[in-house]
Amino acid sequence: MPNYGTTVVVYNKVFFRNLRKSNRLCYLYCFPAPFVTVHAFSFRKPTEQKDEEKPDEFKAVIETADKLYMAHKIQDLYDYLIQFKDCENDEVLWRLARAATDKGKASTDQEVKRSCMYEAFEYAKEALQRNENNFACHKWYAILLDYTGEYEGTKARISNSFSVKKHFLRAIELNPKDATSIHSIGYWCFVFADMPWYTHKLAAALFATPPSSTYSEALHYFQLAEEVNPNFYSMNLLMIGKTHLRMKNYVEAKTYLLKARDYPVLKPDDKKAHEEAIQLLKSMGFKDKQ
């Protein structure tokens, strides 16, 4: 699902030119879990809009929400933001969508998880309607479109992937320095590069031009996300290692899988990255530390 700070402008032009020429989409049936695993996402830096851009009326609400997010208080954050669910502020609404998503991810009850994802998607849709120029609204709309599509069957999910791609691209266009959206583009590139033959056949039966990608392209975006914000996300470290492993770059794979294994486990995505990194390292003959 790479230091970008000084090269973002150059990368940005190439990035969009290459992507818009392709039909490379994200997430399909029979693939690894949806993003947002992306995602979605266990990030250390939750503030996705500069303070001076936040409406004064909700500035205190947003600051409190971000403090709770940074403290990894998932339920407290949801309980705090839910009181504002009927507001018209896009910054509050996309944060509520994220909070509901994290609440679902933290649950072991599959029905609760499903309910949370659909609830979160409603907040994301409302946030996007309120402000189509907010990159975070596009990002969370894309994430939750894919998460909910997972429950609606193969054809629906493949159809959704066109829109998922469009909204992630728009998120990056609005904020080229958002590492999480770049990671997400990398993840769907990996998904299609890793797609088994029978899923290729299924996609071809549903669409005249099925999506495709390569491990090299996926690795490019994962590294680019790392350049934008080093060590920002356990799953990005895992995917760099996993992609190197698929490409038989064993030294590089081990380096990043160790980083994913040793990343602080604070959220469900971190736990997933930690456990998968251990398994992949074992498959390479590397014994886990005691």
Side-chain angles (χ1 to χ4, degrees), residues 100-153:
T101 301
D102 283 346
K103 178 185 174 184
K105 284 187 175 185
S107 177
T108 57
D109 185 318
Q110 292 304 309
E111 187 53 39
V112 170
K113 188 186 298 290
R114 181 183 186 279
S115 178
C116 285
M117 295 307 168
Y118 278 95
E119 177 189 355
F121 191 32
E122 291 304 310
Y123 303 139
K125 287 190 285 188
E126 183 66 22
L128 186 59
Q129 287 178 359
R130 296 296 174 187
N131 188 356
E132 293 187 353
N133 292 315
N134 185 332
F135 83 96
C137 296
H138 284 278
K139 176 167 70 175
W140 282 97
Y141 181 91
I143 289 168
L144 286 157
L145 178 60
D146 185 64
Y147 277 161
T148 54
E150 187 180 13
Y151 296 104
E152 296 177 0

Side-chain angles (χ1 to χ4, degrees), residues 69-85:
Y69 183 82
M70 288 291 285
H72 310 291
K73 295 183 177 180
I74 295 173
Q75 188 63 49
D76 288 348
L77 174 57
Y78 175 82
D79 290 343
Y80 175 69
L81 285 176
I82 195 64
Q83 65 184 309
F84 304 105
K85 66 184 179 67

Side-chain angles (χ1 to χ4, degrees), residues 145-172:
L145 178 60
D146 185 64
Y147 277 161
T148 54
E150 187 180 13
Y151 296 104
E152 296 177 0
T154 306
K155 186 174 181 179
R157 197 168 182 205
I158 295 174
S159 297
N160 288 350
S161 64
F162 289 90
S163 185
V164 170
K165 172 189 175 182
K166 181 184 76 172
H167 285 283
F168 272 124
L169 285 175
R170 180 59 177 154
I172 297 170

Side-chain angles (χ1 to χ4, degrees), residues 214-230:
T214 65
Y215 293 125
S216 294
E217 187 173 20
L219 182 62
H220 167 72
Y221 293 116
F222 292 140
Q223 290 176 328
L224 195 57
E226 203 63 24
E227 288 179 6
V228 170
N229 193 354

